[in-house]
mmCIF file of all heavy atoms in Angstrom:
data_model
loop_
_atom_site.group_PDB
_atom_site.id
_atom_site.type_symbol
_atom_site.label_atom_id
_atom_site.label_comp_id
_atom_site.label_asym_id
_atom_site.label_seq_id
_atom_site.Cartn_x
_atom_site.Cartn_y
_atom_site.Cartn_z
ATOM 1 N N VAL A 1322 78.344 -11.278 -58.005
ATOM 2 C CA VAL A 1322 78.747 -12.104 -56.861
ATOM 3 C C VAL A 1322 80.074 -11.603 -56.289
ATOM 4 O O VAL A 1322 80.237 -11.507 -55.072
ATOM 5 C CB VAL A 1322 78.817 -13.598 -57.248
ATOM 6 C CG1 VAL A 1322 79.459 -14.430 -56.145
ATOM 7 C CG2 VAL A 1322 77.417 -14.110 -57.578
ATOM 8 N N THR A 1323 81.004 -11.237 -57.152
ATOM 9 C CA THR A 1323 82.272 -10.668 -56.686
ATOM 10 C C THR A 1323 82.016 -9.395 -55.889
ATOM 11 O O THR A 1323 82.583 -9.195 -54.805
ATOM 12 C CB THR A 1323 83.210 -10.374 -57.874
ATOM 13 O OG1 THR A 1323 83.535 -11.610 -58.521
ATOM 14 C CG2 THR A 1323 84.485 -9.675 -57.422
ATOM 15 N N GLY A 1324 81.138 -8.525 -56.403
ATOM 16 C CA GLY A 1324 80.781 -7.306 -55.682
ATOM 17 C C GLY A 1324 80.155 -7.605 -54.338
ATOM 18 O O GLY A 1324 80.458 -6.950 -53.332
ATOM 19 N N ALA A 1325 79.279 -8.610 -54.297
ATOM 20 C CA ALA A 1325 78.624 -8.986 -53.042
ATOM 21 C C ALA A 1325 79.645 -9.498 -52.026
ATOM 22 O O ALA A 1325 79.574 -9.178 -50.838
ATOM 23 C CB ALA A 1325 77.562 -10.046 -53.311
ATOM 24 N N LYS A 1326 80.610 -10.271 -52.483
ATOM 25 C CA LYS A 1326 81.639 -10.798 -51.582
ATOM 26 C C LYS A 1326 82.543 -9.684 -51.068
ATOM 27 O O LYS A 1326 82.922 -9.671 -49.890
ATOM 28 C CB LYS A 1326 82.446 -11.893 -52.276
ATOM 29 C CG LYS A 1326 81.647 -13.172 -52.461
ATOM 30 C CD LYS A 1326 82.455 -14.230 -53.175
ATOM 31 C CE LYS A 1326 81.666 -15.524 -53.285
ATOM 32 N NZ LYS A 1326 82.447 -16.585 -53.966
ATOM 33 N N LEU A 1327 82.890 -8.730 -51.935
ATOM 34 C CA LEU A 1327 83.671 -7.576 -51.488
ATOM 35 C C LEU A 1327 82.902 -6.786 -50.437
ATOM 36 O O LEU A 1327 83.465 -6.345 -49.434
ATOM 37 C CB LEU A 1327 84.003 -6.664 -52.674
ATOM 38 C CG LEU A 1327 85.069 -7.139 -53.636
ATOM 39 C CD1 LEU A 1327 85.087 -6.266 -54.890
ATOM 40 C CD2 LEU A 1327 86.440 -7.128 -52.953
ATOM 41 N N PHE A 1328 81.611 -6.614 -50.686
ATOM 42 C CA PHE A 1328 80.741 -5.875 -49.774
ATOM 43 C C PHE A 1328 80.680 -6.577 -48.421
ATOM 44 O O PHE A 1328 80.738 -5.956 -47.363
ATOM 45 C CB PHE A 1328 79.359 -5.775 -50.395
ATOM 46 C CG PHE A 1328 78.499 -4.650 -49.912
ATOM 47 C CD1 PHE A 1328 78.966 -3.634 -49.105
ATOM 48 C CD2 PHE A 1328 77.170 -4.596 -50.310
ATOM 49 C CE1 PHE A 1328 78.149 -2.594 -48.691
ATOM 50 C CE2 PHE A 1328 76.338 -3.568 -49.910
ATOM 51 C CZ PHE A 1328 76.828 -2.564 -49.090
ATOM 52 N N ALA A 1329 80.576 -7.890 -48.438
ATOM 53 C CA ALA A 1329 80.452 -8.670 -47.207
ATOM 54 C C ALA A 1329 81.675 -8.530 -46.312
ATOM 55 O O ALA A 1329 81.554 -8.588 -45.090
ATOM 56 C CB ALA A 1329 80.216 -10.142 -47.537
ATOM 57 N N THR A 1330 82.832 -8.337 -46.910
ATOM 58 C CA THR A 1330 84.059 -8.249 -46.120
ATOM 59 C C THR A 1330 84.486 -6.809 -45.862
ATOM 60 O O THR A 1330 85.501 -6.577 -45.201
ATOM 61 C CB THR A 1330 85.208 -9.009 -46.816
ATOM 62 O OG1 THR A 1330 85.411 -8.460 -48.117
ATOM 63 C CG2 THR A 1330 84.882 -10.491 -46.923
ATOM 64 N N SER A 1331 83.719 -5.847 -46.335
ATOM 65 C CA SER A 1331 84.037 -4.439 -46.146
ATOM 66 C C SER A 1331 83.901 -4.052 -44.669
ATOM 67 O O SER A 1331 82.951 -4.440 -44.004
ATOM 68 C CB SER A 1331 83.087 -3.590 -46.989
ATOM 69 O OG SER A 1331 83.136 -2.246 -46.614
ATOM 70 N N THR A 1332 84.834 -3.269 -44.192
ATOM 71 C CA THR A 1332 84.788 -2.829 -42.795
ATOM 72 C C THR A 1332 84.122 -1.471 -42.621
ATOM 73 O O THR A 1332 83.866 -1.053 -41.503
ATOM 74 C CB THR A 1332 86.206 -2.771 -42.194
ATOM 75 O OG1 THR A 1332 87.000 -1.876 -42.977
ATOM 76 C CG2 THR A 1332 86.833 -4.157 -42.168
ATOM 77 N N ASP A 1333 83.857 -0.757 -43.734
ATOM 78 C CA ASP A 1333 83.259 0.570 -43.618
ATOM 79 C C ASP A 1333 81.844 0.652 -44.195
ATOM 80 O O ASP A 1333 81.281 1.733 -44.293
ATOM 81 C CB ASP A 1333 84.155 1.632 -44.265
ATOM 82 C CG ASP A 1333 84.342 1.442 -45.760
ATOM 83 O OD1 ASP A 1333 83.763 0.491 -46.339
ATOM 84 O OD2 ASP A 1333 85.075 2.248 -46.369
ATOM 85 N N GLY A 1334 81.263 -0.490 -44.567
ATOM 86 C CA GLY A 1334 79.895 -0.486 -45.070
ATOM 87 C C GLY A 1334 79.754 -0.044 -46.514
ATOM 88 O O GLY A 1334 78.656 0.266 -46.959
ATOM 89 N N LEU A 1335 80.859 -0.016 -47.255
ATOM 90 C CA LEU A 1335 80.859 0.357 -48.665
ATOM 91 C C LEU A 1335 81.475 -0.766 -49.491
ATOM 92 O O LEU A 1335 82.308 -1.515 -48.982
ATOM 93 C CB LEU A 1335 81.681 1.633 -48.881
ATOM 94 C CG LEU A 1335 81.234 2.871 -48.118
ATOM 95 C CD1 LEU A 1335 82.282 3.974 -48.256
ATOM 96 C CD2 LEU A 1335 79.888 3.349 -48.618
ATOM 97 N N ILE A 1336 81.083 -0.858 -50.763
ATOM 98 C CA ILE A 1336 81.758 -1.802 -51.650
ATOM 99 C C ILE A 1336 83.080 -1.153 -52.044
ATOM 100 O O ILE A 1336 83.082 -0.061 -52.622
ATOM 101 C CB ILE A 1336 80.926 -2.107 -52.915
ATOM 102 C CG1 ILE A 1336 79.597 -2.756 -52.555
ATOM 103 C CG2 ILE A 1336 81.726 -3.033 -53.845
ATOM 104 C CD1 ILE A 1336 78.684 -3.013 -53.757
ATOM 105 N N PRO A 1337 84.198 -1.786 -51.726
ATOM 106 C CA PRO A 1337 85.485 -1.184 -52.059
ATOM 107 C C PRO A 1337 85.643 -0.974 -53.565
ATOM 108 O O PRO A 1337 85.170 -1.782 -54.363
ATOM 109 C CB PRO A 1337 86.518 -2.201 -51.563
ATOM 110 C CG PRO A 1337 85.777 -3.231 -50.817
ATOM 111 C CD PRO A 1337 84.332 -3.085 -51.104
ATOM 112 N N TRP A 1338 86.272 0.113 -53.933
ATOM 113 C CA TRP A 1338 86.528 0.402 -55.349
ATOM 114 C C TRP A 1338 87.582 -0.564 -55.885
ATOM 115 O O TRP A 1338 87.427 -1.129 -56.961
ATOM 116 C CB TRP A 1338 87.000 1.850 -55.488
ATOM 117 C CG TRP A 1338 87.080 2.306 -56.898
ATOM 118 C CD1 TRP A 1338 88.205 2.442 -57.655
ATOM 119 C CD2 TRP A 1338 85.991 2.694 -57.744
ATOM 120 N NE1 TRP A 1338 87.885 2.889 -58.901
ATOM 121 C CE2 TRP A 1338 86.530 3.058 -58.988
ATOM 122 C CE3 TRP A 1338 84.614 2.766 -57.558
ATOM 123 C CZ2 TRP A 1338 85.746 3.484 -60.048
ATOM 124 C CZ3 TRP A 1338 83.837 3.203 -58.613
ATOM 125 C CH2 TRP A 1338 84.400 3.549 -59.836
ATOM 126 N N ARG A 1339 88.637 -0.762 -55.105
ATOM 127 C CA ARG A 1339 89.713 -1.663 -55.510
ATOM 128 C C ARG A 1339 89.184 -3.097 -55.516
ATOM 129 O O ARG A 1339 88.581 -3.544 -54.551
ATOM 130 C CB ARG A 1339 90.878 -1.556 -54.539
ATOM 131 C CG ARG A 1339 92.106 -2.316 -54.973
ATOM 132 C CD ARG A 1339 93.211 -2.129 -53.981
ATOM 133 N NE ARG A 1339 93.455 -0.716 -53.735
ATOM 134 C CZ ARG A 1339 94.509 -0.042 -54.167
ATOM 135 N NH1 ARG A 1339 95.427 -0.666 -54.835
ATOM 136 N NH2 ARG A 1339 94.657 1.234 -53.901
ATOM 137 N N GLY A 1340 89.369 -3.769 -56.630
ATOM 138 C CA GLY A 1340 88.914 -5.143 -56.755
ATOM 139 C C GLY A 1340 87.501 -5.265 -57.314
ATOM 140 O O GLY A 1340 87.059 -6.355 -57.649
ATOM 141 N N ARG A 1341 86.786 -4.139 -57.396
ATOM 142 C CA ARG A 1341 85.430 -4.163 -57.949
ATOM 143 C C ARG A 1341 85.514 -4.423 -59.453
ATOM 144 O O ARG A 1341 86.305 -3.788 -60.151
ATOM 145 C CB ARG A 1341 84.749 -2.823 -57.696
ATOM 146 C CG ARG A 1341 83.279 -2.813 -58.038
ATOM 147 C CD ARG A 1341 82.645 -1.456 -57.907
ATOM 148 N NE ARG A 1341 82.691 -0.912 -56.549
ATOM 149 C CZ ARG A 1341 82.101 0.211 -56.204
ATOM 150 N NH1 ARG A 1341 81.432 0.929 -57.087
ATOM 151 N NH2 ARG A 1341 82.189 0.651 -54.962
ATOM 152 N N PRO A 1342 84.723 -5.354 -59.985
ATOM 153 C CA PRO A 1342 84.732 -5.597 -61.435
ATOM 154 C C PRO A 1342 84.401 -4.317 -62.211
ATOM 155 O O PRO A 1342 83.641 -3.472 -61.740
ATOM 156 C CB PRO A 1342 83.638 -6.649 -61.627
ATOM 157 C CG PRO A 1342 83.511 -7.311 -60.298
ATOM 158 C CD PRO A 1342 83.797 -6.240 -59.281
ATOM 159 N N ASP A 1343 84.997 -4.191 -63.396
ATOM 160 C CA ASP A 1343 84.792 -2.994 -64.212
ATOM 161 C C ASP A 1343 83.318 -2.708 -64.464
ATOM 162 O O ASP A 1343 82.897 -1.553 -64.464
ATOM 163 C CB ASP A 1343 85.521 -3.107 -65.552
ATOM 164 C CG ASP A 1343 87.023 -2.912 -65.405
ATOM 165 O OD1 ASP A 1343 87.460 -2.328 -64.389
ATOM 166 O OD2 ASP A 1343 87.756 -3.346 -66.308
#
Side-chain angles (χ1 to χ4, degrees):
V1322 170
T1323 297
K1326 288 179 177 181
L1327 286 169
F1328 203 9
T1330 58
S1331 166
T1332 58
D1333 63 1
L1335 301 170
I1336 298 177
W1338 189 257
R1339 187 179 307 252
R1341 189 185 298 185
D1343 285 340

